[in-house]
């Protein structure tokens, strides 16, 4: 069974020979206004490009870690200690938190952990960013049951608003503490 693939860029009738697909050639004869709509945006598509949302999440993650680095540098006056605190915070949020979370998940595997997992993922800005990017890439089906739960919560408008507000809090609170 072949999975349908979404491709960006030019697709001509010659692709059926390369990929083995039998494409509908009628859409090649239609004018561009019928293919993409009158405003140039495809039907059912967002006005944001496919790469702008992950870039926005990456920018928010950079702002979060910059705020945490500012907090670390304000807490200690020594440059080396400030850099060390910033690197340790990054290491904790990128690697150690996920390991601790996996340990807790395996130890409590007999209990329903769906709702606490959403809360625990909110406590880590890196996990929140990963979830948002994976949901944008539409590969949550490959994440199994956890992906379905994350898609059910974070795939809605309220879930995206929740994630954005938590990431905004991750940006603002360290700066408020630093000042």
């Amino acid at each position: 069974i072949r999975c349908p693939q979404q491709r960006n860029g030019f697709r001509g009738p010659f692709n059926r020979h390369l990929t083995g697909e039998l494409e509908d050639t009628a859409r090649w004869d239609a004018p561009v206004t019928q293919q993409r709509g009158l405003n140039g945006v495809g039907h059912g598509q967002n006005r944001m490009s496919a790469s702008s949302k992950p870039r926005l999440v990456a920018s928010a993650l950079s702002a979060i870690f910059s705020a945490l680095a500012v907090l670390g540098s304000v807490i200690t006056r020594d440059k080396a200690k400030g850099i060390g605190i910033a690197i340790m915070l990054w290491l904790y949020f990128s690697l150690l938190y996920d390991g601790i979370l996996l340990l807790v998940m395996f130890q409590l595997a007999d209990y329903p952990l769906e709702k606490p997992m959403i809360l625990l993922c909110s406590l880590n800005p890196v996990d929140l960013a990963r979830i948002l990017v994976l949901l944008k890439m539409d590969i949550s089906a490959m994440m199994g049951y956890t992906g379905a739960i994350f898609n059910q919560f974070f795939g809605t408008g309220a879930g995206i608003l929740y994630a954005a507000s938590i990431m905004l809090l991750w940006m603002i609170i360290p700066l408020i503490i630093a000042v």
Side-chain angles (χ1 to χ4, degrees), residues 46 48 52-54 56-57 60 118 122 128-138 149-169 171:
N46 235 342
M48 295 181 87
S52 62
K53 289 181 184 177
L56 185 65
V57 170
I118 291 173
S122 300
L128 211 54
R130 284 179 190 156
I131 291 168
L132 291 175
V133 169
L134 286 175
L135 290 178
K136 173 60 185 154
M137 292 172 59
D138 205 21
I149 290 170
F150 286 150
N151 193 15
Q152 182 181 10
F153 181 75
F154 289 110
T156 64
I160 291 174
L161 183 65
Y162 171 79
S165 62
I166 293 294
M167 289 185 83
L168 190 63
L169 285 175
M171 286 182 232

Side-chain angles (χ1 to χ4, degrees), residues 1 22 33 42-44 47 53 70 85 99 105 111 121 128 153:
I1 297 175
L22 293 176
T33 55
H43 298 291
R47 290 199 184 270
K53 289 181 184 177
V70 166
I85 288 172
M105 282 176 32
Y111 301 100
C121 285
L128 211 54
F153 181 75

Side-chain angles (χ1 to χ4, degrees), residues 41-70:
V41 178
H43 298 291
Q45 291 181 355
N46 235 342
R47 290 199 184 270
M48 295 181 87
S49 68
S51 64
S52 62
K53 289 181 184 177
R55 285 181 188 174
L56 185 65
V57 170
S59 299
L61 203 54
S62 295
I64 288 168
F65 279 105
S66 296
L68 288 172
V70 166

Side-chain angles (χ1 to χ4, degrees), residues 95-109:
L95 297 175
L96 296 177
Y97 187 85
D98 289 333
I100 294 168
L101 200 60
L102 282 173
L103 179 70
V104 168
M105 282 176 32
F106 283 124
Q107 293 299 321
L108 301 174

